[in-house]
Amino acid sequence: MQNFIKFETQSTAEKLIQSALQFKEKPFLQKELGKELRIGLIFLNPSLRTRVSTQIAAKNLGMEAIVFNIDKEGWALEFEEGVIMNENKAEHIKEAASVLGSYFDILAIRAFPTLTDKKQDMADKVIHQFIKYSQKPVVSLESSSRHPLQSLADMMSIKETWKNVSKPKIVLSWAPHVKALPHAVPNSFAEWTLGLGHDLTITQPQGYELEEQFTKGAEIEYDQEKAVADADFVYVKNWSSYHDYGKLPKVEGDWLLKDHQLKKGAKIMHCLPVRRNLELADELLDGNKSLVPLQAENRIYAAQAVLFEIISNMES
Amino acid sequence: MQNFIKFETQSTAEKLIQSALQFKEKPFLQKELGKELRIGLIFLNPSLRTRVSTQIAAKNLGMEAIVFNIDKEGWALEFEEGVIMNENKAEHIKEAASVLGSYFDILAIRAFPTLTDKKQDMADKVIHQFIKYSQKPVVSLESSSRHPLQSLADMMSIKETWKNVSKPKIVLSWAPHVKALPHAVPNSFAEWTLGLGHDLTITQPQGYELEEQFTKGAEIEYDQEKAVADADFVYVKNWSSYHDYGKLPKVEGDWLLKDHQLKKGAKIMHCLPVRRNLELADELLDGNKSLVPLQAENRIYAAQAVLFEIISNMES
Amino acid sequence: MQNFIKFETQSTAEKLIQSALQFKEKPFLQKELGKELRIGLIFLNPSLRTRVSTQIAAKNLGMEAIVFNIDKEGWALEFEEGVIMNENKAEHIKEAASVLGSYFDILAIRAFPTLTDKKQDMADKVIHQFIKYSQKPVVSLESSSRHPLQSLADMMSIKETWKNVSKPKIVLSWAPHVKALPHAVPNSFAEWTLGLGHDLTITQPQGYELEEQFTKGAEIEYDQEKAVADADFVYVKNWSSYHDYGKLPKVEGDWLLKDHQLKKGAKIMHCLPVRRNLELADELLDGNKSLVPLQAENRIYAAQAVLFEIISNMES
């Protein structure tokens, strides 16, 4: 594994989950591995869990982690080729990525989508330019199209929780919100569950269908109540329209999930931050169905497994 | 000691002062103690001394310290129970504190008062919610009601300076300012001086009386000149009205302290930042009566003693 | 060497270049030297390369580096003596520098010029106040008048690239921009090239002459084409007018350098960030004449050599 920006293969994903579970048992198992290695955590957008968990993961492996909020501590970057930079962008990605590549052994990048330029977002332009110009391994801390560290932690959480021989029924359920949110988390969740051979049902209002490359193989069910009735895991998440890109088509009915809609023993999941009682009700977040704290905690070990894998490949 | 958010007992305070003085002699005495322990320094408000001194204190004990300016690098938190989060607050304290609790061994929090909601401020709602939901030891980096790390450094500074057998006369003197400032520093200073058995006189204009739970046992003297005339230590600090909460009632007379008002050998103190020639005159800050640099330097060792004590209790 | 804020002597500069080249070969050669030493990296302005490279340099020497963006994480500082601080500045440099001096073994400061108050800028008031009140070694991370860490990296880059016995022809060439930029980089570049005995030609439009204390000994050539025709190194950089301080006098002609104007084997240099196709064309930045990535990479080792020298002098 050179870069970590999406789901690759089932065997890679399973290896990462095993490795993450092992680091959860013994966080300092490889504490000398990253000595004299540096990771740059580059944020073009705000972050809490992703930043802190990746910083901790790097430290657990003995690496030096340096956080740089380029949007706040630096200046605006230009991503277009060939333009005359006579407006408000002070540095081109070519220079920024090349310099950061010469300063760090691994780069990790967060770059949210525009939600206005679908083509650019789906091409993950920012992260691919970092890969191209830095010439160093790149880890996605959430790109326009995907949030693979989140999904790895989510898969770990399902693995830890589901002890039956039979397959669990996993549902991805759209939830209400007041803002237009990216598709990265639901895209990745679908990509990873399906990639790992899970059965996935997606429930969402009309107009909120995700890009098919991520959802191919999933069952689509527009009736939320029906979709979640016998679910073992319900991943709750808002996203904006993909087809009417970044827009918020009018939604019929009440999509705020209720405890009584779920069977006993069902688990609810969310990537956080969550808007309580808008996306997910207090009764569910504060009740014993919630896997949310587990998912957040697992972010450390998901990141640690990914960094371990990248470093191991560097050495070979 | 589990949390450090206020003065507890005289014996605990004295133990912390002794420990801080010892770390000042030998900062690296316990440099292995915190190995594999992490402290999160969470700021909801700006900071210079508190942030840097606590970061250094943690490092001196071998801990990994991670600073997170949640107001600038993250997003606005919701502290109310049961609300529908459909406005500008992106995450509830329940999630934020719980996640940070799962990432760190100790959390340290700065959360200034609203100065508009007296009840919420006096209940130190923010810091108590961090304690409740993080389930980890919490250190106050200044809460609505108190600034105990400052007071511990102040007590250390008095201890280092006063070598007489007799008790010193300590005065807390209100000073002018242009903004409405919190009560945390004067509250804590009163709580710690009185708690350690010192004699304390508080001088302030009419309308600027502090909450009585902190000042009980202190002498109140509205005539500043009289109060400071024979003082050994004068702690100079502005605060807004407590009874007319957060307001700035009109003040009679000139409350800017003059050197000639103090006796030879008197010491002046201030927690910083100080507005020169508004709160405290150049002649005093630049003269030999000032303990201000000593107080600031002692912030490192006060924090180190507190972290040492918390870690020691974790291990037992 | 006590402070590093400008070019001192040819022998010191040559020693630093040698040391920097050695650290480039073996970054961890002195990795225990700075153990138990702390450097504070204090920014009054944004930074990418300077911040990250200095942080890495410090870590390579085993030092603890703490970054503090005082403009964003703290509050506005007052630099005037004797004023009544009743406006928006919350702390005086006297206190800020004195406290930071008591917290760190070395301070490194970035403070851009006002570009309105020439006298204050040329006196490097901010950095000199940090030196005066901190009483610790101070490293410039770019002051009003100079950017010596950049120049040291630039000199290193020329040294690595020029293998002939004859002297190279070095040209500093003004370039267009949309904003009024400081003189620190061109001042320092002239100071270091001339101080090291290089031949330097400066080409700029009328009205953009630099302060003579930096350029004395350089040839001034207002015809850019003529100046660069036989150049071995062309340092491209914008700056605002010095004599009509901070202004942008009207410029005749096209100052954007073209590849065909340069001889084969010529090298172009820039300190970054660069505005592509405004200051420097894609064809030059992306071609094999560019030393720009080398300069940026060398920032780490330039900083490392400077910190090594300062620490070595502390110990003696």
Side-chain angles (χ1 to χ4, degrees), chain B residues 114-146:
Chain B
T114 62
L115 289 186
T116 53
D117 185 336
K118 188 195 239 182
K119 200 176 150 195
Q120 175 182 317
D121 289 351
M122 288 308 292
D124 273 331
K125 183 166 180 172
V126 174
I127 209 157
H128 281 291
Q129 290 201 304
F130 269 102
I131 291 171
K132 181 172 176 187
Y133 296 116
S134 73
Q135 299 186 290
K136 288 290 164 70
V138 168
V139 173
S140 168
L141 301 172
E142 188 172 341
S143 71
S144 300
S145 74
R146 292 167 176 92

Side-chain angles (χ1 to χ4, degrees), chain B residues 46-246:
Chain B
S47 172
L48 188 163
R49 271 157 292 279
T50 297
R51 187 201 117 173
V52 177
S53 64
T54 311
Q55 215 173 344
I56 291 171
K59 297 282 185 174
N60 284 353
L61 293 169
M63 299 184 81
E64 181 60 32
I66 292 181
V67 173
F68 189 63
N69 295 309
I70 203 167
D71 56 331
K72 299 185 187 72
E73 301 176 280
W75 35 69
L77 296 183
E78 176 63 65
F79 292 95
E80 294 306 312
E81 296 270 335
V83 294
I84 299 172
M85 290 171 60
N86 58 4
E87 298 192 359
N88 65 336
K89 309 238 173 104
E91 182 152 14
H92 200 281
I93 180 67
K94 284 187 184 182
E95 275 72 49
S98 146
V99 171
L100 291 168
S102 74
Y103 288 179
F104 293 103
D105 302 289
I106 302 177
L107 288 179
I109 317 290
R110 164 162 288 196
F112 286 172
T114 62
L115 289 186
T116 53
D117 185 336
K118 188 195 239 182
K119 200 176 150 195
Q120 175 182 317
D121 289 351
M122 288 308 292
D124 273 331
K125 183 166 180 172
V126 174
I127 209 157
H128 281 291
Q129 290 201 304
F130 269 102
I131 291 171
K132 181 172 176 187
Y133 296 116
S134 73
Q135 299 186 290
K136 288 290 164 70
V138 168
V139 173
S140 168
L141 301 172
E142 188 172 341
S143 71
S144 300
S145 74
R146 292 167 176 92
H147 194 354
L149 283 173
Q150 179 65 52
S151 297
L152 176 53
D154 295 339
M155 297 305 113
M156 239 184 112
S157 305
I158 291 173
K159 178 93 176 178
E160 286 180 288
T161 309
W162 185 254
K163 299 297 180 194
N164 296 5
V165 179
S166 63
K167 281 184 166 186
K169 178 175 176 188
I170 301 177
V171 176
L172 171 59
S173 178
W174 186 90
H177 206 284
V178 286
K179 287 173 61 181
L181 294 195
H183 309 92
V185 168
N187 283 349
S188 272
F189 185 75
E191 189 176 49
W192 286 70
T193 46
L194 294 167
L196 281 164
H198 287 298
D199 292 336
L200 176 68
T201 301
I202 303 176
T203 181
Q204 78 239 327
Q206 294 284 351
Y208 284 87
E209 296 78 8
L210 295 162
E211 156 70 50
E212 210 185 285
Q213 66 163 296
F214 298 107
T215 62
K216 209 171 147 183
E219 188 179 325
I220 307 298
E221 170 56 68
Y222 290 94
D223 181 338
Q224 187 194 39
E225 186 137 8
K226 201 169 149 194
V228 303
D230 59 345
D232 296 299
F233 295 92
V234 183
Y235 204 96
V236 179
K237 182 76 187 82
N238 171 268
W239 59 88
S240 57
S241 176
Y242 175 73
H243 293 287
D244 191 5
Y245 194 62

Side-chain angles (χ1 to χ4, degrees), chain A residues 112-181:
Chain A
F112 285 173
T114 61
L115 290 186
T116 54
D117 185 336
K118 189 194 238 183
K119 199 176 152 196
Q120 176 183 317
D121 289 350
M122 288 309 289
D124 273 330
K125 184 166 180 172
V126 174
I127 209 157
H128 281 292
Q129 290 202 305
F130 268 103
I131 291 171
K132 181 172 176 187
Y133 296 115
S134 73
Q135 299 185 291
K136 288 290 164 70
V138 168
V139 173
S140 168
L141 301 172
E142 188 173 339
S143 72
S144 300
S145 73
R146 291 167 176 92
H147 194 355
L149 283 173
Q150 179 65 52
S151 297
L152 176 53
D154 295 339
M155 297 305 114
M156 238 184 113
S157 305
I158 290 173
K159 178 92 177 178
E160 286 180 286
T161 309
W162 186 254
K163 300 296 179 194
N164 295 4
V165 178
S166 62
K167 280 185 169 188
K169 178 174 177 189
I170 301 177
V171 177
L172 171 59
S173 178
W174 186 89
H177 206 283
V178 285
K179 288 173 62 181
L181 294 196

Side-chain angles (χ1 to χ4, degrees), chain B residues 169 171 173-176 203 222-234 236 253-268 279-281 283-284 289:
Chain B
K169 178 175 176 188
V171 176
S173 178
W174 186 90
T203 181
Y222 290 94
D223 181 338
Q224 187 194 39
E225 186 137 8
K226 201 169 149 194
V228 303
D230 59 345
D232 296 299
F233 295 92
V234 183
V236 179
D254 178 7
W255 281 77
L256 181 64
L257 203 65
K258 309 294 175 304
D259 194 5
H260 70 79
Q261 294 175 294
L262 302 175
K263 72 177 184 192
K264 204 178 156 223
K267 297 294 176 191
I268 57 133
E279 282 180 88
L280 205 39
E283 59 170 4
L284 280 166
K289 289 195 176 70

Side-chain angles (χ1 to χ4, degrees), chain C residues 106-152:
Chain C
I106 302 178
L107 288 180
I109 318 289
R110 165 162 286 195
F112 285 173
T114 61
L115 289 185
T116 54
D117 185 335
K118 188 195 241 182
K119 200 177 151 195
Q120 176 183 316
D121 289 351
M122 288 308 290
D124 272 332
K125 184 165 178 171
V126 174
I127 209 158
H128 281 292
Q129 290 202 306
F130 268 103
I131 291 172
K132 182 173 174 186
Y133 295 116
S134 74
Q135 299 185 291
K136 287 291 165 70
V138 168
V139 173
S140 168
L141 301 172
E142 187 172 343
S143 72
S144 299
S145 73
R146 292 167 176 92
H147 194 355
L149 282 173
Q150 180 65 51
S151 298
L152 176 53

Side-chain angles (χ1 to χ4, degrees), chain A residues 67 73 83 87 94-95 103, chain C residues 51 69 275-277 296:
Chain A
V67 172
E73 301 176 280
V83 295
E87 297 191 1
K94 285 188 183 180
E95 275 72 48
Y103 288 179
Chain C
R51 187 202 117 172
N69 295 310
R275 298 226 176 192
R276 282 177 169 254
N277 304 314

